[in-house]
Amino acid sequence: MDNDDAKAAWPLLLTAHAVLVQDIERRLAAARLPALSWYEVLSALEDAGGRLRMHELADRVVLTRSNLTRLIDRLAALGHVTREKDADDRRGAYAVLNDSGAQLRARIAPVYLQAVAELFEDRTGPAERAAMARTLRTVLSGSRERD
Amino acid sequence: MDNDDAKAAWPLLLTAHAVLVQDIERRLAAARLPALSWYEVLSALEDAGGRLRMHELADRVVLTRSNLTRLIDRLAALGHVTREKDADDRRGAYAVLNDSGAQLRARIAPVYLQAVAELFEDRTGPAERAAMARTLRTVLSGSRERD
DNA sequence: AAAGATTGATATATCAATCTTC
DNA sequence: GAAGATTGATATATCAATCTTT
């Protein structure tokens, strides 16, 4: 019944997320690559042209400030990113993507994209995914307006 | 374009999950209630009639064995669940829901369900959610067959 | 040897408190 | 005092190794 399906949507979203992310992380670890969160931070930086303020980066990857600080600590310790103070507003700091970080992202990408293709895209039609995307966008637009 | 929407589906699934779960956890903490993972374990036990083998429970809530062991440790320390050895196969153990655990679940439920209603259900139509549920089910059926 | 579950060591995440600059 | 970011203390999660029973 359609009504039962509607009720199952949220639990299924939770379960599908957990199962797929678990599988993706397993594949990354098997390829001796870092976790998904690293990829997301490196990608967000690359998409933004290589540098972002910490709080802006935290928003984009949906991490708390504190968690992002720690993640950037680890990336910086390995030379993948650098911190730079904002010259205008000296309270703020930028996270800056290094060559090493860009290369790391490029090594993660094929494994990650292959996993998403196999686990998610090969099992769904484009129209289904498009519909899901539109639904999720309306959900998010509600959550982001009151920021 | 439909094709762009389809490409955005997986990133949106990740982001929507992160945003909604973060908000739900915030509400639970504000109400001095334990985290979502506790609710899911307690609910899985209740749905199963009050008792489940550890590995079966781990599968249902999508946690590793080790993580579930730790979670049950904490729940047992507070008296919400009890461990019982399986009499037939003495390697195995059951997690058993106590009254205290059932009551805790009942206190979490309204806050959790209210959050899901506001953040997810109020922002989507039943038909959209039903379609999403069916899509996610096909995704999951692929992942679970090879267990 | 393999299944079921747990443990020790370690990594990561979280909260409240802190520091600096606006 | 509030924004931006970090830190210390603590909780939770993860991996490999272990123990027990089949």
Side-chain angles (χ1 to χ4, degrees):
Chain A
M1 198 206 295
D2 218 55
N3 189 38
D4 285 348
D5 284 343
K7 279 186 185 171
W10 174 250
L12 280 167
L13 178 55
L14 283 182
T15 303
H17 175 272
V19 168
L20 296 199
V21 167
Q22 200 171 73
D23 203 335
I24 289 166
E25 298 278 19
R26 214 170 34 69
R27 291 172 185 228
L28 290 174
R32 301 179 153 281
L33 290 169
L36 196 47
S37 56
W38 287 36
Y39 178 76
E40 300 204 311
V41 164
L42 296 172
S43 295
L45 284 173
E46 185 152 301
D47 292 349
R51 54 166 49 225
L52 275 174
R53 286 289 294 271
M54 290 293 285
H55 72 271
E56 177 61 24
L57 180 53
D59 282 353
R60 296 203 191 186
V61 298
V62 194
L63 286 178
T64 62
R65 304 286 160 84
S66 158
N67 283 347
L68 179 64
T69 293
R70 256 76 209 239
L71 214 174
I72 293 292
D73 283 349
R74 285 168 240 147
L75 286 167
L78 295 175
H80 299 312
V81 302
T82 309
R83 273 183 235 258
E84 285 181 19
K85 302 236 180 305
D86 183 340
D88 297 333
D89 182 345
R90 296 174 50 78
R91 291 170 303 182
Y94 285 97
V96 182
L97 185 67
N98 294 339
D99 284 354
S100 160
Q103 284 168 27
L104 178 57
R105 184 194 163 283
R107 288 200 303 124
I108 301 172
V111 176
Y112 175 57
L113 295 177
Q114 173 71 16
V116 173
E118 286 178 28
L119 300 172
F120 184 67
E121 287 161 4
D122 288 355
R123 293 171 181 165
T124 51
E128 285 180 293
R129 293 199 300 281
M132 181 183 292
R134 285 188 293 269
T135 302
L136 291 173
R137 242 185 234 115
T138 69
V139 169
L140 275 178
S141 70
S143 278
R144 300 224 133 143
E145 273 155 14
R146 57 173 170 59
D147 278 350
Chain B
M1 200 208 291
D2 219 55
N3 189 37
D4 286 347
D5 284 342
K7 281 186 183 171
W10 174 250
L12 280 166
L13 178 55
L14 284 183
T15 303
H17 175 272
V19 168
L20 296 200
V21 167
Q22 200 171 73
D23 203 335
I24 289 167
E25 297 279 18
R26 214 170 33 72
R27 289 171 186 230
L28 291 173
R32 302 179 151 281
L33 290 169
L36 197 46
S37 56
W38 286 37
Y39 178 76
E40 300 204 312
V41 165
L42 296 172
S43 295
L45 284 174
E46 186 151 301
D47 292 350
R51 53 166 49 224
L52 276 174
R53 287 289 293 270
M54 289 296 283
H55 73 271
E56 177 62 24
L57 180 52
D59 281 354
R60 296 204 190 186
V61 298
V62 195
L63 286 177
T64 62
R65 304 287 162 83
S66 158
N67 282 347
L68 179 64
T69 292
R70 256 77 211 237
L71 214 174
I72 293 291
D73 283 348
R74 285 168 240 147
L75 285 167
L78 295 174
H80 298 312
V81 302
T82 309
R83 273 184 235 259
E84 284 181 20
K85 301 233 180 307
D86 183 339
D88 298 333
D89 182 345
R90 295 173 51 78
R91 293 172 301 182
Y94 285 96
V96 182
L97 184 67
N98 294 340
D99 285 354
S100 159
Q103 285 168 27
L104 178 57
R105 185 194 162 283
R107 288 201 302 124
I108 301 173
V111 175
Y112 175 58
L113 296 177
Q114 173 72 16
V116 173
E118 286 179 26
L119 300 173
F120 184 67
E121 289 161 2
D122 288 357
R123 293 172 181 163
T124 51
E128 284 181 293
R129 293 198 300 281
M132 181 184 292
R134 285 188 295 268
T135 301
L136 291 172
R137 242 185 234 114
T138 70
V139 169
L140 275 178
S141 70
S143 278
R144 301 224 133 142
E145 273 154 14
R146 56 172 171 59
D147 279 350

